[in-house]
Amino acid sequence: QVQLVESGGGLVQAGGSLRLSCAASEGSFNRRTLGWFRQAPGKEREFVAQINWIGDSTLYADSVKGRFIITRDNAKSTVYLGMNSLKPEDTAVYYCTCTQMGGSSYDYWGQGTQVTVSS
């Protein structure tokens, strides 16, 4: 069982930067793939980025590629999402997620953190 807690959201102007954090309040991130998803008002939840448990393989949605970077610190059981050159269309609730140990489906989700980008 893993409990995920996100932080770092807020209001930022277009072109600005934010860094989201997600920590495991219970459990650990060992052997788990970690990911970030987002959901904008009136839209379905969409994939943003993921990182494997070793941290040497990442994947990004085309919409954020080159602007966002996902990293992890297994010793701290924390995953980060660095967001640069933010756009108003990045406005959404951002969710942290992880798989079961050695698994491939996202089974655990955080409560989400709001990111609002003003134009």
Side-chain angles (χ1 to χ4, degrees), residues 18-91:
L18 280 176
R19 189 177 80 156
L20 306 183
S21 300
C22 174
S25 62
E26 289 185 26
S28 75
F29 285 163
N30 286 342
R31 296 178 55 228
R32 302 180 192 269
T33 296
L34 304 174
W36 288 94
F37 283 68
R38 67 186 181 186
Q39 187 167 19
K43 295 187 177 181
E44 295 196 355
R45 191 174 297 189
E46 65 174 2
F47 169 80
V48 175
Q50 73 177 36
I51 185 168
N52 68 344
W53 80 275
I54 297 175
D56 62 353
S57 177
T58 57
L59 184 66
Y60 296 93
D62 287 343
S63 59
V64 307
K65 203 172 293 183
R67 300 188 298 122
F68 289 13
I69 182 166
I70 185 171
T71 56
R72 64 189 292 165
D73 185 337
N74 289 338
K76 296 181 178 179
S77 291
T78 301
V79 60
Y80 305 95
L81 184 68
M83 305 185 294
N84 301 305
S85 302
L86 283 162
K87 305 175 182 179
E89 51 263 44
D90 293 319
T91 295

Side-chain angles (χ1 to χ4, degrees), residues 98-109:
C98 73
T99 64
Q100 299 270 5
M101 284 189 176
S104 59
S105 63
Y106 287 116
D107 292 325
Y108 302 99
W109 295 83

